Amino acid sequence: MSGLLFEAPKTYSIPVNGEDAAYPVNRIFCVGRNYAAHAAEMGVEVDREAPFYFTKHPSATVPTGATVPYPTGTENYHYEMELVMVIGKPVFRCSVADAPAAIYAFGSGLDMTRRDLQLAARAKQRPWDLGKDFEKSAVFSALTKSAELGELGEQRIHLEVNGDVKQDAHLKDLIHNCYEVVADLSKYYHLAPGDVIMTGTPAGVGAVLPGDKITGGIDGLDPIDLTIGDKE
Ligand code: MN
């Protein structure tokens, strides 16, 4: 055997502030229900024992500033504003104390969600893939290296739709903080450069429609925006 039957799938990447080279995306892990007020609005109990996860394919990656089509299969397309962190060195079964050294950079992100499909799957105790892991559902700002962000906690995380504030919280509201998430996830995966982690969304999630413009930000990080196009 030699060669590939067809051209290898594209590599997706995220720009890094201060670097010419971009961060290549391999796996995208997402934390569920990591802010108490969001878990409450979803009608579920918070599990403070440990985080839980779902994943998105790297080809879900979309840069900030894009216009994405209103996706097929949903009548309830939601935004979720999230802090994003990316891994910079291999870690496996790392401690919370060792986790900061594994994080290369942080950014702003949107975990776009087909909420009706997610909730239907949840009700039937099925996986969330159709609701969460679909094309152009992971929106990322340029990354800021972790040393430049400083201590995490007091930063405001917010999102607006057409200028109206919908989500407004602080990173200290995270139930499982970034370092706890890295330590926990590394019990189950050999984390490595290319791994992107979306840390969960605060309360205030809601639907958008064609023509809407989403903006959002986290203090100290690049902002994010996304325009919703026509139904595909
Ligand atoms: Mn989310």
Side-chain angles (χ1 to χ4, degrees):
M1 287 189 292
S2 70
L4 298 171
L5 281 170
F6 54 89
E7 191 177 347
K10 172 182 170 178
T11 297
Y12 289 79
S13 64
I14 310 172
V16 180
N17 288 323
E19 294 284 343
D20 286 335
Y23 183 93
V25 177
N26 183 21
R27 300 180 288 193
I28 303 173
F29 298 100
C30 305
V31 183
R33 299 171 201 155
N34 205 12
Y35 291 81
H38 172 61
E41 74 181 349
M42 296 298 289
V44 287
E45 294 280 318
V46 168
D47 184 350
R48 291 183 183 272
E49 290 295 305
F52 75 94
Y53 310 96
F54 56 91
T55 57
K56 291 178 188 263
H57 193 271
S59 65
T61 299
V62 176
T64 184
T67 297
V68 299
Y70 189 100
T72 188
T74 186
E75 299 295 328
N76 196 17
Y77 179 43
H78 274 212
Y79 54 80
E80 294 191 357
M81 178 73 202
E82 311 208 357
L83 172 68
V84 174
M85 55 181 170
V86 302
I87 297 295
K89 70 170 198 176
V91 280
F92 182 52
R93 294 178 185 151
C94 82
S95 66
V96 172
D98 288 339
I103 302 170
Y104 173 69
F106 292 94
S108 304
L110 295 171
D111 165 16
M112 298 302 294
T113 300
R114 295 192 281 214
R115 189 72 71 200
D116 41 1
L117 299 189
Q118 181 206 8
L119 294 181
R122 192 178 89 179
K124 292 183 177 180
Q125 298 188 307
R126 290 176 178 170
W128 290 4
D129 300 48
L130 288 181
K132 287 292 195 178
D133 183 11
F134 58 97
E135 293 144 6
K136 300 183 177 176
S137 66
V139 186
F140 298 117
S141 75
L143 300 169
T144 295
K145 290 182 198 170
S146 42
E148 293 165 27
L149 183 59
E151 193 173 339
L152 295 167
E154 296 300 325
Q155 293 89 349
R156 178 178 176 237
I157 176 171
H158 59 94
L159 177 143
E160 305 80 36
V161 177
N162 304 325
D164 294 334
V165 176
K166 302 290 188 182
Q167 294 188 281
D168 198 349
H170 292 85
L171 297 185
K172 66 183 177 210
D173 301 329
L174 281 163
I175 295 167
H176 307 285
N177 71 37
C178 291
Y179 310 139
E180 292 166 341
V181 167
V182 168
D184 183 75
L185 195 56
S186 79
K187 294 177 189 168
Y188 303 98
Y189 296 94
H190 295 75
L191 296 178
D195 289 336
V196 174
I197 304 169
M198 306 189 81
T199 58
T201 197
V205 300
V208 283
L209 293 168
D212 283 344
K213 176 147 177 140
I214 299 170
T215 53
I218 298 167
D219 292 343
L221 297 175
D222 280 22
I224 205 157
D225 74 83
L226 185 73
T227 301
I228 312 304
D230 291 338
K231 295 195 178 194
E232 64 183 3

